[in-house]
Amino acid sequence: MRVHLIAVQTELQTAPYTSAQAFNRYVLELTRAATEGLPQDEPRILAFPEAFALPLVFWLETSRAVLEAKTSLQAAMQLLREHWPALLRPGVWSPAALYHLRAPLVWPVYEQAFQEAAQAVRAYIVAGSIFSPHMDWEPVQGLHPRGKGVYNLSLVISPQGTVLGRIPKVHLTAEERHAFLTGGQPGRHTLKTRLGTLANLICLDAFHDDLIEQADAAGAWLVVQPSANAARWEGPWSADPREIEGSGLAARRAG
């Protein structure tokens, strides 16, 4: 059986993240463009980049002052100032309260956009990740966070639009720790699908033997590695500033 493996690459823009309709349309357009011309009867797996959905936290239905902030820190501080009474509800007494504040609005938009895109093109989708608490739904509480931790989370969605897994990144970068994220627990990164067992290891996770060994032991035939890198491609390599980020030597050492 032939399976088409597609990596979606994007350029950061503000407009697609300012409303649910714009984000839905953006994800669907990218998904359709990525699968255009593929045989309808052959399965396909699409992977979106790490942190693809993170701008929703800052730009979805926010004020002009937030949209015009020069840095994510400035945007976060403005959001906290504008919504400080609501911060009392989650009971999270740290800057991570921002993610709890935004998750009830952002999470359904994030999840629905990728579910609809997966159904539209009949593809498995590894959704570009978002920073969020684990969100759950049940009839009494409705949509609510499970615990106070905030994670770098990626969804895996079936061609029927079913969420097969909510995958947390385990091994965090220094920047993610400074953003008050919590590392996830191993054990949720391999999923059984009609195409066989897949593993979703977000960026740095795929460079750690512990998770690669778990994926191999679970019988994964494919490891998907959604990644984001804020470093300049022609600038110093984050692991060794003596090397250039995009150089062959740095790439070999990273691999």
Side-chain angles (χ1 to χ4, degrees):
M1 177 178 61
R2 186 166 68 163
V3 180
H4 298 274
L5 308 178
I6 305 157
V8 178
Q9 293 184 306
T10 61
E11 181 180 2
L12 182 61
Q13 305 171 37
T14 305
Y17 297 93
T18 56
S19 72
Q21 295 79 7
F23 187 69
N24 276 22
R25 185 167 57 251
Y26 185 49
V27 172
L28 186 57
E29 288 173 353
L30 290 170
T31 304
R32 283 180 168 157
T35 56
E36 185 178 4
L38 296 181
Q40 291 296 317
D41 60 341
E42 293 182 353
R44 62 286 300 266
I45 301 171
L46 278 71
F48 278 71
E50 179 187 21
F52 171 83
L54 177 58
L56 289 171
V57 174
F58 301 99
W59 293 338
L60 181 65
E61 298 180 14
T62 51
S63 68
R64 180 175 293 276
V66 176
L67 290 173
E68 293 179 349
K70 300 300 183 183
T71 67
S72 57
L73 178 59
Q74 291 176 4
M77 295 304 296
Q78 181 63 29
L79 278 167
L80 293 174
R81 282 193 293 269
E82 292 177 3
H83 300 283
W84 67 266
L87 295 174
L88 302 177
R89 291 197 295 269
V92 179
W93 311 114
S94 83
L98 170 70
Y99 306 112
H100 283 265
L101 171 70
R102 298 288 290 163
L105 172 67
V106 167
W107 186 266
V109 173
Y110 168 59
E111 190 173 49
Q112 183 178 353
F114 283 104
Q115 287 178 302
E116 292 181 359
Q119 288 178 297
V121 302
R122 305 295 294 173
Y124 286 91
I125 293 184
V126 176
S129 65
I130 192 168
F131 295 179
S132 173
H134 279 292
M135 300 300 289
D136 199 2
W137 186 92
E138 58 90 22
V140 175
Q141 297 184 74
L143 185 67
H144 65 282
R146 292 204 333 254
K148 297 181 179 181
V150 175
Y151 306 88
N152 184 349
L153 288 169
S154 171
L155 301 177
V156 178
I157 301 173
S158 77
Q160 292 73 39
T162 303
V163 176
L164 301 178
R166 306 175 186 193
I167 312 302
K169 188 174 181 179
V170 176
H171 300 286
L172 302 181
T173 64
E175 290 79 9
E176 287 168 320
R177 291 191 293 271
H178 293 156
F180 302 96
L181 298 190
T182 301
Q185 293 298 314
R188 303 180 62 181
H189 299 77
T190 55
L191 302 163
K192 294 187 182 299
T193 76
R194 295 180 183 180
L195 302 181
T197 301
L198 312 178
N200 180 14
L201 302 182
I202 301 173
C203 198
L204 192 58
D205 282 353
F207 293 113
H208 283 262
D209 284 348
D210 60 341
L211 295 180
I212 291 292
E213 290 165 359
Q214 289 179 34
D216 194 31
W221 68 272
L222 175 67
V223 173
V224 182
Q225 185 189 16
S227 294
N229 190 339
R232 290 171 48 217
W233 190 243
E234 69 276 12
W237 183 30
S238 55
D240 184 349
R242 295 172 298 176
E243 306 293 344
I244 301 301
E245 188 75 28
S247 73
L249 178 59
R252 286 196 299 273
R253 288 183 176 175

